[in-house]
Amino acid sequence: MPESPYTVSDVMTHTVVAVGSEAPFKEIVELLDQWKVSAVPVLAGEGRVVGVVSEADLLPKEEFRGGSDIGGDLAERVKAAALTAGELMTTPAVTVHADASLAEAARIMARRHVKRLPVVDGVGMLQGVVSRSDLLKVFLRSDAEIADEIRTQVMTCMPITTGLDVSVTEGVVTLSGSMPERGLVPVVARAVRAVEGVVDVQLDLSHR
């Protein structure tokens, strides 16, 4: 059965604000405010991503204002004294490839606790940025579009589903009809749930 065609390249932002390693602290803050983003990639050479500066990297400057000795680890104190992107950035950058699935990008964000990922090619050159909000774009698909994909991409590849009807309301898929074996129900439900934009799957099935 073919996989859903959506990849990071389908939802990523191609126009990206980035900085060089010598970019000063205040310029980075101004860019974050101007572009309404929470982080910027740091580039070297012709556009290779070498790190990322996020709001979290910038905050120690305020946290330790006045040389406070209360709390904070050494890394935070070092960043509090940093003046340029090269000193502030988190490296190596957490990135994703354009052909990665949306699920893979979501897992990386969750595991690494980041809101945005630079999208790079095979040699680390910046191609775009994907954010949490970008990954949610698939839930803007219409019910009709989701239903059509389920019928043409899922049902036609699974003969056991010939007795099923598909309806979609607000992204919730209802499968009704009959199936030859109860044990096959989880297989079908899993395949339908994998379609981008599906919020949930409800079953109204009988078994022949």
Side-chain angles (χ1 to χ4, degrees):
M1 183 176 64
E3 296 181 355
S4 180
Y6 282 78
T7 63
V8 167
S9 64
D10 294 313
V11 300
M12 73 182 189
T13 300
H14 293 268
T15 302
V16 183
V17 57
V19 298
S21 61
E22 297 304 314
F25 183 98
K26 189 170 181 177
E27 177 184 323
I28 299 169
V29 175
E30 290 171 345
L31 286 172
L32 294 183
D33 180 67
Q34 177 184 347
W35 288 77
K36 307 303 178 188
V37 294
S38 58
V40 289
V42 181
L43 308 182
E46 297 299 316
R48 184 170 55 86
V49 179
V50 294
V52 171
V53 177
S54 69
E55 293 169 333
D57 296 316
L58 298 167
L59 278 176
K61 182 73 73 178
E62 182 64 25
E63 180 183 356
F64 295 102
R65 180 178 298 280
S68 171
D69 292 327
I70 301 175
D73 59 22
L74 178 60
E76 290 177 324
R77 293 183 179 280
V78 169
K79 290 198 174 184
L83 299 176
T84 66
E87 297 168 338
L88 288 158
M89 68 184 182
T90 297
T91 187
V94 181
T95 62
V96 68
H97 288 164
D99 60 356
S101 69
L102 301 191
E104 181 180 350
R107 283 193 293 269
I108 294 172
M109 287 184 188
R111 291 171 181 169
R112 302 301 295 268
H113 305 289
V114 296
K115 299 177 182 179
R116 294 162 58 85
L117 292 171
V119 182
V120 299
D121 63 15
V123 293
M125 303 293 281
L126 183 65
Q127 304 212 306
V129 166
V130 65
S131 67
R132 291 175 178 175
S133 61
D134 291 327
L135 297 183
L136 292 175
K137 288 177 182 176
V138 294
F139 293 105
L140 298 176
R141 300 181 75 193
S142 69
D143 290 341
E145 185 180 356
I146 294 170
D148 182 66
E149 180 173 336
I150 292 171
R151 294 186 184 108
T152 60
Q153 301 296 321
V154 178
M155 300 303 186
T156 58
C157 297
M158 303 180 74
I160 58 174
T161 64
T162 54
L164 298 185
D165 292 321
V166 178
S167 63
V168 184
T169 304
E170 295 295 323
V172 177
V173 180
T174 300
L175 300 177
S176 57
S178 62
M179 288 186 60
E181 295 180 33
R182 182 183 297 273
L184 296 175
V185 172
V187 177
V188 175
R190 185 164 56 249
V192 171
R193 190 170 280 111
V195 172
E196 300 291 0
V198 170
V199 175
D200 195 13
V201 178
Q202 298 183 352
L203 306 174
D204 182 16
L205 303 176
S206 60
H207 309 286
R208 299 193 291 270

